[in-house]
Amino acid sequence: MTIFFTGDTHFGDPRALRFDHRPYPDLEAHDAGLVAAWNAAVSPGDTVWHLGDFALGPSGDRIREILAGLNGEKHLIVGNNDGPETLGAPGWTSVRHYAEFEVEGRMVVLCHYAFRTWNGMSRGALNLHGHSHGKLKPMPKQYDVGVDPMGPAPVPLSAILASRRRRGR
C-alpha cells in the first residue's frame, strides 16, 4: 500500500482551464484526464490524501460519480472551494481540515493552506498543502502537492521530495 497526495483537482470547474492553463481542450476532457491519471497511478489498496478543492460546479450526483470512479482509500482535507455536496459525498474515508502523521519516516502536516510555521517544523516535519496552484515561492520543507505543480496524478512523498531536487539543478 502506497500513500499518495494531491489537491486542487477542481473537477467540473471551468476556471481551472482558464486560470491554471491546464492542457485540456474542455472541461469534460479535463475531468476524464484527471480520473485516468489518478487511476493509472493509484491502486485500489492505496491511500490518497486530497488536500482540498476537489470539485466546484458539478451536481452532487456528478461529484459522487467522480469520487466513486477514483481508485484508493480517499481522505479529504477541506479546501475553500469544497461545498456541502463534496463534503457529504460517500466515498471519503475521512473529511477534516488538518492532519498530521508519519509517512516514509517523515512527519507530514497537511492543510489546504500553506503555513508560515507548523508543528514539528524544527524537527524536520513537512508541510504539504494545496490552494496556491504552484504560485507561492516554497519555503524549506513545504510543498504544494496540487495538480498544477505536481501533475494530474497523485504522487507519493518520495516524488514530492524529488520534485524540489529536480528544480534546484
Side-chain angles (χ1 to χ4, degrees), residues 33-104:
L34 292 182
V35 169
W38 179 304
N39 289 337
V42 178
S43 297
D46 293 333
T47 299
V48 179
W49 286 86
H50 191 292
L51 274 60
D53 289 359
F54 179 76
L56 181 65
S59 69
D61 287 342
R62 179 67 179 132
I63 289 170
R64 290 186 290 280
E65 177 185 326
I66 292 167
L67 188 58
L70 297 171
N71 287 342
E73 175 185 281
K74 299 166 285 284
H75 299 266
L76 178 65
I77 298 293
V78 178
N80 59 301
N81 289 304
D82 291 318
E85 294 286 358
T86 295
L87 301 179
W92 296 117
T93 300
S94 69
V95 175
R96 59 182 96 170
H97 291 272
Y98 177 92
E100 49 181 71
F101 53 88
E102 192 171 299
V103 178
E104 299 176 21

